[in-house]
Amino acid sequence: MFTQLIIKNFRCFDMLELDNLKLITLIGGRNNTGKSAILESLFLAVGYKNPNIFLALAAGRNGNGILQPTPQRIWNPLFYMFEKNAQFDLMLLRDTGIASTLTMRKISDESVDLDVNTDTVTNILKQGYNPSSLGSYFFSLQYEYTLDGQKSIGKFSFEDKKIKYISLSVPKKEAQLPIVKAIFYKSIYIPDNTTIAEWISRLILDGEKDLILYVLTSFDSRIKDITTIVENAVPYVYVILHDGQKMPITYMGDGINKILQLLLCILTTPKGVVLIDELENGFHYSTYAKVLRVLYQTALQKQCQLFITTHNVDILRESANVMRKLEQLDSVCYQRIDFSQGKRHAYSFSGEELESALDIQLEVR
């Protein structure tokens, strides 16, 4: 579990420190304070070795879904003020006392052949950029990952519009530590139907079917069973109703599909991290307590750390209530991000402090 996150020169943050992180960490604040960027920093800090993570982060910020695969479009937005800084640092502290720092910086890439990217170069020139500075659009991203004093080095570069990962050194300590798996649940990152079916099949074999059914039936009493059916070599999830009818789970409504997806994310990520952007979306307010109890109870059981952004005071209130009833109020915290005088700050509330602030109707969103 991570207990501290320090962000330097990443996205909208020149410097941000989040302390006293808990198994359930709620993140709030006004629009444009950087809540989603915090989730992105965690996603990158844990999964930085996967070249596709950069494309995923860029896609998550690109509303029309069209990506121009160049360092300028994919990597520059990761840096504070885009080109103002050429290095960012993401520092994490674990509850075991082990600290890690991911440093990424821009370096020139002499191996890039601009002829391979003729279409991209043409598009850049059409936007009015000076041809003499064209080389600055094709740079590599070098990383240094320091774990408990030991450093590994590598880099990412573009080759024919694809990102290539090259590891230059790996410390022994990094290889010995268990890998922390992270899942980012956001509108653009929702697991597809095939992935959901594969997860369901595996969890049924692992003996988790009763829990999945309990959750589904608590949201829709018509459901009797759940199964996967292969059609044209593609697996799909079906629910079986009490009248014997089989129905694709996708026909059961957005709310029940979302709670199933979130539950599966946690069940398949024991001792890992699940990042949830704006949890309240897709749920009626009357279901908040039920949704949160399912997610928090499962996270506690699997020791899966949740980072959840929200604008909703009812989510905060029900989170405190649920964790109080579970006798786990010390396992939740709230990080309120504030933006004033050009700076962003994080104010940390323990579970007790959040509960007290809500009781006196203090504005904490």
Side-chain angles (χ1 to χ4, degrees), residues 210-230:
D210 287 346
L211 172 60
I212 296 170
L213 268 179
Y214 169 76
V215 172
L216 292 180
T217 55
S218 67
F219 282 85
D220 192 327
S221 59
R222 297 176 300 162
I223 297 175
K224 180 182 179 181
D225 202 357
I226 186 169
T227 188
T228 57
I229 298 176
V230 177

Side-chain angles (χ1 to χ4, degrees), residues 275-291:
L275 312 166
I276 306 172
D277 202 19
E278 297 187 1
L279 171 63
E280 61 269 21
N281 291 346
F283 292 122
H284 190 266
Y285 73 91
S286 64
T287 66
Y288 288 168
K290 188 189 301 185
V291 167

Side-chain angles (χ1 to χ4, degrees), residues 193-194 196-198 200-201 204 225-240 244-249:
N193 292 332
T194 300
I196 294 295
E198 291 172 352
I200 289 284
S201 297
I204 288 175
D225 202 357
I226 186 169
T227 188
T228 57
I229 298 176
V230 177
E231 300 174 356
N232 298 320
V234 178
Y236 295 92
V237 178
Y238 276 75
V239 291
I240 302 172
Q245 181 182 3
K246 294 180 181 178
M247 183 179 295
I249 187 70

